[in-house]
Amino acid sequence: MKVVYNDLGFAKPEPHRMRRQGFPEAIFCPGKSDEQILSIFRNLLTGRGPVIATRAPEKLAQELVSAITGAVWHRTARLVVSKPILRRNGRPVAVVTGGTADIPVAEEAAVSLEALGRAPTRLYDVGVAGLHRLLRHENALSRMAAVIVCAGMDGALPSVVGGVVKCPVIAVPTSVGYGVHLGGVASLLTMLNSCAANVSVVNIDNGFGAAVIASLISR
Amino acid sequence: MKVVYNDLGFAKPEPHRMRRQGFPEAIFCPGKSDEQILSIFRNLLTGRGPVIATRAPEKLAQELVSAITGAVWHRTARLVVSKPILRRNGRPVAVVTGGTADIPVAEEAAVSLEALGRAPTRLYDVGVAGLHRLLRHENALSRMAAVIVCAGMDGALPSVVGGVVKCPVIAVPTSVGYGVHLGGVASLLTMLNSCAANVSVVNIDNGFGAAVIASLISR
Amino acid sequence: MKVVYNDLGFAKPEPHRMRRQGFPEAIFCPGKSDEQILSIFRNLLTGRGPVIATRAPEKLAQELVSAITGAVWHRTARLVVSKPILRRNGRPVAVVTGGTADIPVAEEAAVSLEALGRAPTRLYDVGVAGLHRLLRHENALSRMAAVIVCAGMDGALPSVVGGVVKCPVIAVPTSVGYGVHLGGVASLLTMLNSCAANVSVVNIDNGFGAAVIASLISR
Amino acid sequence: MKVVYNDLGFAKPEPHRMRRQGFPEAIFCPGKSDEQILSIFRNLLTGRGPVIATRAPEKLAQELVSAITGAVWHRTARLVVSKPILRRNGRPVAVVTGGTADIPVAEEAAVSLEALGRAPTRLYDVGVAGLHRLLRHENALSRMAAVIVCAGMDGALPSVVGGVVKCPVIAVPTSVGYGVHLGGVASLLTMLNSCAANVSVVNIDNGFGAAVIASLISR
Amino acid sequence: MKVVYNDLGFAKPEPHRMRRQGFPEAIFCPGKSDEQILSIFRNLLTGRGPVIATRAPEKLAQELVSAITGAVWHRTARLVVSKPILRRNGRPVAVVTGGTADIPVAEEAAVSLEALGRAPTRLYDVGVAGLHRLLRHENALSRMAAVIVCAGMDGALPSVVGGVVKCPVIAVPTSVGYGVHLGGVASLLTMLNSCAANVSVVNIDNGFGAAVIASLISR
Amino acid sequence: MKVVYNDLGFAKPEPHRMRRQGFPEAIFCPGKSDEQILSIFRNLLTGRGPVIATRAPEKLAQELVSAITGAVWHRTARLVVSKPILRRNGRPVAVVTGGTADIPVAEEAAVSLEALGRAPTRLYDVGVAGLHRLLRHENALSRMAAVIVCAGMDGALPSVVGGVVKCPVIAVPTSVGYGVHLGGVASLLTMLNSCAANVSVVNIDNGFGAAVIASLISR
Amino acid sequence: MKVVYNDLGFAKPEPHRMRRQGFPEAIFCPGKSDEQILSIFRNLLTGRGPVIATRAPEKLAQELVSAITGAVWHRTARLVVSKPILRRNGRPVAVVTGGTADIPVAEEAAVSLEALGRAPTRLYDVGVAGLHRLLRHENALSRMAAVIVCAGMDGALPSVVGGVVKCPVIAVPTSVGYGVHLGGVASLLTMLNSCAANVSVVNIDNGFGAAVIASLISR
Amino acid sequence: MKVVYNDLGFAKPEPHRMRRQGFPEAIFCPGKSDEQILSIFRNLLTGRGPVIATRAPEKLAQELVSAITGAVWHRTARLVVSKPILRRNGRPVAVVTGGTADIPVAEEAAVSLEALGRAPTRLYDVGVAGLHRLLRHENALSRMAAVIVCAGMDGALPSVVGGVVKCPVIAVPTSVGYGVHLGGVASLLTMLNSCAANVSVVNIDNGFGAAVIASLISR
């Protein structure tokens, strides 16, 4: 296993993971100090692929943007991205949400996909309580190489999408809900128990992970 | 509060609950001895309404049927019923399932509804992974006074039904599933988090309770 | 399925759901931006029925009220309502609470019922630890078409109400409690396990959903 | 701490715990071999108080009865008792159940109380869905020194009893229920969240523990 | 059931519960508005017993104290008490804690006991990891009519106390802990599974309930 | 949505789902009667794709094999398969297990893949406690289009595989474990929290679903 | 990483792990076929250290003993051991239980320790509800290099032992309990929340793991 | 049991626990008032060993440092330490983390080890998704007497480390993660289910406990 990484003491970033694995190492911001994040971000810039910081709070995002030329803050997506892949390529992918409040998670996925060189189709607020909104887009969905479905509340949308497409569905439970939604656990369980056999699931609100998987499939 | 009940020592049945509340006291069999069940069943027969024993295992069911003239065992529904209301009345109700394995719970509901004098429409195996099966019946569903939806696995069907009908949906999570279905808890959570505002929920596999509620609505 | 909805990009509201389903699409505020909520609210006003925003925080509520003529903020209920149905109709319904702290959830239900054209009877702080307070109202309760019961702590009240009425009981667990109340999960479990067969349950603190169901029953 | 106990290697029974603490060491049968139980039982017989084996399966119970003169098997209570205290004494206590299926747990409590020299009043199947059955006995209950309440399903009965008595209520959740009853956890949570301040709780199905506490109070 | 209560609309307080049941109705403050609390407090003052508001936040406590002559704020116990029973009576009771951080819960119990006319012995920070601290007080403990044990972390102390006393132990799990303590659930489970048969349990941090029970036993 | 399905009353199978979605409708056996399964199996044979019954118990499997010409029972995989796709095609996929006891789940995936026309590489018992066993196969793994990883116990293997491959990892938690493994929930949680961004998860023991997804990716 | 292992296809045993890591690879029997276990056992015998099969059911154990010369079945411990280290060495270790029913887990630990060349002191049935039984052995315990404590029910014993010894305590929660013991989870939580800083925990009933750790410490 | 402790009323510190047990009593700050902490700290200074306050918030830490000569605040570790053991001794130990955000927990362990007289090797950010970072240090790790592994997210690192070392691994799950990480519970479960037999576990984020155990082993 010949892998090149750097040793910053508090972190050991791998700038060339994009080349080694087809997707870059992202910086998950919570729990790291601003200095640590900036330092890792700079180190990752020595590689070729995109550099992505996820769940970036506003203050940090602005620091990164002012410290690093070309870094862009995507506010809704809570991402700071540098050196995105500009040439859009790969087979088509879609990002779908059940409701309006799921959009931040969906944008984390969609903007990450764009940074990875994909051109995702966005289809928002088409949840199962008003199915007609989804069905109008059935043809478009059936052409996708992968579909990311972000849903909170009952988390039922991935099953419905899974029943109409010809590709893998990556289900992202969101923390949107209340009461016995348990911070997203209810949506997660729904998705893991999906009647549709082509549905797999990532962690609650994990838009970035869904984007990596969809990007690898679409390649 | 003027209520007449009998005192058997180990039980205090109320034969006239049908008159007092519009639905009879049912005998939930598990945890009671065969002698206790037979004794309570006989006592309830002194009232006018239907007498219903739920979750009756085969051996007990056969004992009841042979001991009590007119008692009928509904095998799939796991019910023993005596003195059902023969005249079908009330507004229309439907019983719907997501899959084939949900049918025993649905039959518990449907046969109970029949005992209570309703004539339920059955619509089985129309789960969300193949939505076309449900949508073909949309018109029929929109005429119902109440719809009972029994679903295991992802438990997503009540949300979809809830989005197309004009009446309350009584969702019955079933224990049909595996792994992180947790014996029906996953379906239950999905239903409690339904995006459709007209959905309420009863306990896992509680077909009888759903029937009581639908019957009261349909009256 | 012929359904008319609008496409705002971030949301696809359906102003005529009241006509299609007998209850309107409500706006659940948490997780949406103020601009999104205002925009959806305006769009829904193009329909005929009431427009209701739930769980509206104070600042947003005041914005809505100042931006939209005729919109009213119900502070305790945390609702903003526009174009309520003024003619009260339907069979009688009641809203009951176990304690004083359950009143905000009960008011969400009661004010929603009023917006939907019902005239609910309120009966507050009649929990099971002092049963005499409830029993005094037994006659009134026995005339209802539906009873909504909001209870936190042990969540035992719906079972008691379920034992004295002739109609469905819609149980609303509230998040009122502490320790092993688990944010309302304890009350929810109590209600789902109710000994009374006419009790169904909605999500924790879901007063609006309970109102929709009671309204449909009372129609 | 001067305590006398015996050392059997696999167990260290204390025959005189009745004298030291006012209640005897009981033998909880599950997980112990028949030989171990018989040996411990014999050893405890060297003390003066009652000897009680709980949760005794039929085969073991019959072995104990045939091996030990004077040992009595209480089938419903699943207890084997030797040398019970014959002189009934202490202030009055009651054992109450919500339903018929709770009786085995209640009998574990009642027979244990008898072995400890109390004369419990039994009041069975008076659950909250038919409150009139309980209220008829309100006067009797208000004279008790302690009341044990065994309830499965919604577990609501202790709160109601707690609201009418002048003494501590010892709540025993039972495993009687199904679905989201979770083997008794739902009843347990209800009881721990009781609105009545005089309710404390023991483990699911723990009739013996409740008897010990009631006996100590009644002394 | 002849019970006198008042109807404030938002609440139905019962000023004479002390006479009817031997303990007063307490005001659990969270979830009620300051006006509601003040109003209920005043209403309860029309009875004879002590009036107790629990979990009173500082601002509210100061309001109550300035509005109501004779009301006293017990800061650590988070109680406001008026008209305590001055004559100390009853058999001896003790309040014990595992650690220093459990003291607020213990004080809620101890001050409530004082309001109810008892004179509790306090024994703080004697947890099981240093058992010698407890054992030094073994003799004193063995004379008690009831012992309240408040413990967080492993919640093991009630079992140890239960093994040395001759009376009921009322175990109060506290929310003191971290990680997989789950806000007190871990301590609660420990106590419910106690090897000592004389231990019963109340909700997490429920010092007041424990005091009521101990007071009733000590009477 | 033009979808052809049959209506057997108790089931509505769709024989042409393979053509519509690229994977066939499988029959999940538990909860269905033998007659139902046989009937659905026969109905699905009218389509062109493979017919697969999952979790088939021995007796049923033998019935199917004797009733249906060409049906094959895969004992370890618990599958009955008819009309598999004989021409192996698609990009390479691998099925990996952490231990020996995970093999039945892995075989469900591998045999399903073969039925779907893939030629999976099997790599069994290479769990993380002896990492050298996995690393020896690093080169082979890096050429895969998708890797299915089945693991019980700590469920850590997908993270490690996810760190060395260039493709999506479909993680299948298995129910292999004991104690606080909670029937597979522990493995499931590990996988959902994977540090590797290319890991998605299916339900516990869901080998078939993993195969469908890997097959769609490999196409 | 130079590690020698064998490849049996369904398993990749490492006979020399004892030399590489100081403890052998054990065969956890559940989920493996008898043939697989026998084959792995034989393969591991080519190494030098002890070979240990854990959780061996009776039938398998007898097969192993008759197939493999020198293999010994330890019935209570549910172990089959071959080639144990005969020379007892290392610093002293103890195995302690709270009750009699914990002995099978304790014996799994003790016999494993013996196979690994240690001579453990056994101290059984010294749970916290009768503390005097433990304290009598305080001096012996204070000389240990490591103490394994197996406890079910409240799981409180490790905290007490942790407060009197000078060495690490390895806590083994057992599945001995009922009701809200949740199969050992309650004991596990107690131990993880121990007030004593020298306590660490292994999985429920994991006597073998505890033995490995104690053996490594004692070396 | 001859143990010397002091009685401050609200606390009973034991300054000589280091001598009695080989590790000092630490002050866990949350839930104690600043005055209480300062008072206990001063009392413990009368002993000989190190005095350690854990989870010290900034304001308190600065108070302690200014009030007590020689006390040092370790900001990242959230510790205040006085009178550390200056002479480094014992066999080598290591502290390892999976990621950067686990460092505060690791530093709690490492600085505690230093206070206890050990000289830990730090190895940070070597999680399983990039295994090469760990394997480079395999030789160093194989010489340790004990290894502490702190990991959040999937918590997989202790299993991998457990497979390459010759000593006990003390696994510390951290609260670093999101979604279904459940505040560290997911990491905890992974570790308790470790395939490596030499892994034991402490509570989430419990760096101090891990240090005590490693220190005792290294002695």
Side-chain angles (χ1 to χ4, degrees), chain D residues 53-147:
Chain D
T54 67
R55 311 282 167 97
E58 174 155 4
K59 188 176 143 294
L60 168 71
Q62 285 170 337
E63 262 181 69
L64 285 176
V65 165
S66 71
I68 292 167
T69 314
V72 174
W73 178 34
H74 299 265
R75 183 195 290 262
T76 302
R78 294 162 304 170
L79 296 174
V80 176
V81 178
S82 187
K83 303 208 292 183
I85 297 178
L86 295 178
R87 196 173 53 82
R88 299 297 164 88
N89 62 84
R91 291 182 292 152
V93 295
V95 181
V96 179
T97 78
T100 299
D102 303 316
I103 291 179
V105 175
E107 281 297 301
E108 182 178 306
V111 174
S112 296
L113 278 165
E114 289 168 345
L116 294 164
R118 307 291 173 246
T121 299
R122 287 161 168 92
L123 184 55
Y124 291 167
D125 193 29
V126 296
V128 299
L131 218 51
H132 40 284
R133 301 176 298 187
L134 176 76
L135 297 181
R136 187 163 300 180
H137 299 271
E138 201 180 338
N139 279 340
L141 288 172
S142 72
R143 282 190 298 271
M144 296 292 154
V147 179

Side-chain angles (χ1 to χ4, degrees), chain E residues 129 131 154 159 163 181 186 190 193 195, chain G residues 129 131 154 159 163 181 186 190 193 195:
Chain E
L131 218 50
D154 55 23
S159 289
H181 191 249
T190 308
N193 286 288
C195 305
Chain G
L131 218 50
D154 56 23
S159 290
H181 191 248
T190 310
N193 286 289
C195 306

Side-chain angles (χ1 to χ4, degrees), chain A residues 5-83:
Chain A
Y5 65 88
N6 299 307
D7 193 339
L8 310 176
F10 61 85
K12 301 190 171 40
E14 179 191 359
H16 301 292
R17 188 177 293 174
M18 182 78 194
R19 198 165 54 198
R20 183 169 68 87
Q21 294 206 261
F23 58 94
E25 183 179 343
I27 307 169
F28 181 72
C29 294
K32 302 193 181 72
S33 71
D34 288 8
E35 299 73 40
Q36 290 173 333
I37 291 168
L38 184 58
S39 172
I40 300 173
F41 204 107
R42 285 209 161 105
N43 196 283
L44 289 174
L45 281 170
T46 63
R48 207 165 40 177
V51 178
I52 302 176
T54 67
R55 312 284 166 94
E58 175 154 3
K59 187 174 144 296
L60 168 70
Q62 285 170 337
E63 261 180 70
L64 286 176
V65 165
S66 69
I68 292 168
T69 314
V72 175
W73 178 34
H74 300 264
R75 182 193 291 260
T76 302
R78 294 163 302 171
L79 297 174
V80 176
V81 178
S82 187
K83 301 209 292 184

